[in-house]
Amino acid sequence: MNRSAGLLSALYFATSTGLAWTAVHALRHDPLWAACLLAAASLVPVIAVVRESVLRDQRRALAEMRRRADGPSTGAADDIVRTELDTACCERWWTSCGTDHDSTCPRRVPRSSAA
């Protein structure tokens, strides 16, 4: 985590803590709806920290894919598409949005006639 991401996460944590403390204070002295609203608002910065960590992981994975690329013509997008195509089931699976399989597909599951 770089310095700006750490500072941003600390700011998110401080904001979440402040909102949670305000929610507890509102629970004692204000209407219940205000306390619930502040409690929900205190979760938003936590979600932001999780989002930042997911983005960091995706950036690292993308950088690793770029390092492993063979030449200048193949990029990270090509690797992603190649991986998705290699894990695809069969032609009918693609055209039916994952509901049907070809008769020769190894992942074909027989449908039951029971209703």
Side-chain angles (χ1 to χ4, degrees), residues 8-62:
L8 190 59
S9 293
L11 181 64
Y12 286 150
F13 179 72
T15 303
S16 182
T17 304
L19 285 169
W21 180 81
T22 306
V24 170
H25 184 69
L27 184 62
R28 293 181 184 166
H29 304 288
D30 293 329
L32 182 62
W33 65 267
C36 291
L37 183 66
L38 287 167
S42 70
L43 295 177
V44 173
V46 174
I47 294 168
V49 169
V50 171
R51 181 179 175 271
E52 290 291 327
S53 66
V54 168
L55 287 174
R56 181 193 65 212
D57 293 342
Q58 288 177 346
R59 285 186 196 116
R60 284 184 183 168
L62 184 61

Side-chain angles (χ1 to χ4, degrees), residues 87-91 101-110:
T87 59
C89 240
C90 58
E91 182 65 29
H101 294 272
D102 288 339
S103 60
T104 59
C105 179
R107 296 181 187 172
R108 187 174 135 233
V109 177

